[in-house]
């Protein structure tokens, strides 16, 4: 199932509850929360207090993308604030395995994130531990950047590995996912689409989300038709369980 994780980074923070509601009406099913510390990335956003505030205004799962140094220090607080999924950067974790365990221990679903310069191979050992892998298709820190096509090979590679290793992790893509790039992203095998600036715009958020999902489903359907007869019981497009 293809899902839209709308990134509130591009929303109007002064009307956050309304913004989330509009994206949800448009079909968004996950709230993507970009946490930045001004060290790991050259920008500062928000932290657990924002997660706590969101938890009060939506029932949708909160997907926290931690772009911070020393994420272990803050994982318990995100758990208490009501986060459902927490993604940590491979590049920020000295003991990634331990950090993913910590997320799980605090009752959240662990995810690992890779920057454009990091190869998928670095994740082999932890793939069995994660709920999803987040492939960055821009360098993290800012919304509204241009999609980097190098992400497509990584998504395909992760799709193949999932089948080869008999795993169920989901594949999420973040950065520059918009109406003109979404088809390629879906065709490569993505099932969680992060989008910020392509979704949020005054008065058009609901419509933008709906159209982005329509294009995603269209690409997904074409892919399923194209692969009819090729996919056996262990076909290339395994539908991961939740
Ligand atoms: C960037 C963030 C993204 C950002 C995406 O570091 O991780 O989630 O909000 O923004 P768009 O969709 O505008 O590229
Ligand atoms: Zn993000």
């Amino acid at each position: 199932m293809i899902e839209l994780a709308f990134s509130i980074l591009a929303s109007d923070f002064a009307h956050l509850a309304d913004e989330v509601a509009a994206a949800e009406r448009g079909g968004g099913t996950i709230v993507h929360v970009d946490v930045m510390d001004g060290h790991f990335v050259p920008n500062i956003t928000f932290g657990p207090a924002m997660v706590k505030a969101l938890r009060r205004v939506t029932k949708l799962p909160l997907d926290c993308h931690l772009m911070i140094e020393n994420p272990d220090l803050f994982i318990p607080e995100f758990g208490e604030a009501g986060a459902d999924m927490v993604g940590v950067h491979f590049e920020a974790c000295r003991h990634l395995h331990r950090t993913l365990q910590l997320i799980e221990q605090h009752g959240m679903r662990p995810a690992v994130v890779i920057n454009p310069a990091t190869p998928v191979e670095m994740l082999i050992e932890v793939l069995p531990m994660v709920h999803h892998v987040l492939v960055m298709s821009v360098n993290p820190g800012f919304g509204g950047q241009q999609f980097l096509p190098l992400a497509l090979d990584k998504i395909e590679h992760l799709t193949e590995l999932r089948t080869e290793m008999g795993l169920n992790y989901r594949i999420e893509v973040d950065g520059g996912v918009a109406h003109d790039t979404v088809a390629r992203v879906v065709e490569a095998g993505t099932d969680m689409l992060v989008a910020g600036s392509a979704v949020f715009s005054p008065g058009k958020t609901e419509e933008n989300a709906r159209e982005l999902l329509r294009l995603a489903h269209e690409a997904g359907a074409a892919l399923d038709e194209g692969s009819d007869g090729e996919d056996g019981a262990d076909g290339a497009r395994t539908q991961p369980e939740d």
Side-chain angles (χ1 to χ4, degrees):
M1 185 178 67
I2 298 166
E3 287 190 89
L4 172 61
F6 51 88
S7 166
I8 57 161
L9 185 61
S11 70
D12 177 355
F13 299 160
H15 301 100
L16 191 59
D18 294 342
E19 293 278 76
V20 169
E24 184 174 2
R25 281 197 304 277
T29 46
I30 298 168
V31 186
H32 184 82
V33 185
D34 287 305
V35 178
M36 305 187 190
D37 67 351
H39 291 276
F40 180 66
V41 288
N43 195 5
I44 299 177
T45 55
F46 30 71
M50 176 63 110
V51 173
K52 205 169 168 184
L54 283 163
R55 189 68 296 160
R56 287 197 288 264
V57 300
T58 182
K59 292 194 166 59
L60 293 181
L62 304 176
D63 170 30
C64 299
H65 174 190
L66 304 191
M67 288 163 272
I68 62 177
E69 304 281 2
N70 298 318
D72 296 27
L73 291 179
F74 299 95
I75 284 165
E77 232 184 302
F78 277 97
E80 283 158 29
D84 297 280
M85 311 172 208
V86 165
V88 290
H89 271 261
F90 168 83
E91 303 84 4
C93 297
R94 187 165 291 171
H95 303 288
L96 177 61
H97 186 280
R98 177 185 289 152
T99 303
L100 294 170
Q101 281 181 325
L102 188 66
I103 296 169
E104 181 104 44
Q105 283 160 10
H106 283 271
M108 298 170 288
R109 289 174 156 173
V112 63
V113 191
I114 45 171
N115 275 339
T118 303
V120 163
E121 283 77 4
M122 304 308 285
L123 304 180
I124 300 283
E125 305 298 339
V126 298
L127 289 177
M129 303 174 71
V130 298
H131 172 261
H132 64 271
V133 178
L134 172 47
V135 176
M136 290 306 299
S137 39
V138 296
N139 285 290
F142 304 94
Q145 301 182 77
Q146 208 183 352
F147 180 81
L148 297 170
L150 62 76
L152 296 170
D153 281 349
K154 292 189 190 182
I155 303 163
E156 279 172 20
H157 191 176
L158 281 164
T159 308
E160 286 162 14
L161 280 173
R162 184 168 59 193
T163 305
E164 278 168 27
M165 296 173 74
L167 297 173
N168 281 317
Y169 59 78
R170 306 189 77 190
I171 302 170
E172 184 177 40
V173 176
D174 185 3
V177 175
H179 297 78
D180 56 340
T181 53
V182 70
R184 281 185 290 161
V185 169
V186 169
E187 283 160 13
T190 306
D191 26 56
M192 292 166 73
L193 300 161
V194 177
S197 47
V199 170
F200 290 100
S201 81
K204 292 187 74 182
T205 296
E206 180 179 345
E207 178 188 330
N208 289 344
R210 187 169 294 125
E211 177 62 6
L212 193 64
L213 273 168
R214 188 188 69 74
L215 294 167
H217 289 137
E218 200 173 82
L223 195 66
D224 287 341
E225 272 170 37
S227 65
D228 264 357
E230 286 167 32
D231 284 7
D234 57 353
R237 281 196 90 227
T238 311
Q239 278 299 331
E241 283 159 24
D242 219 6

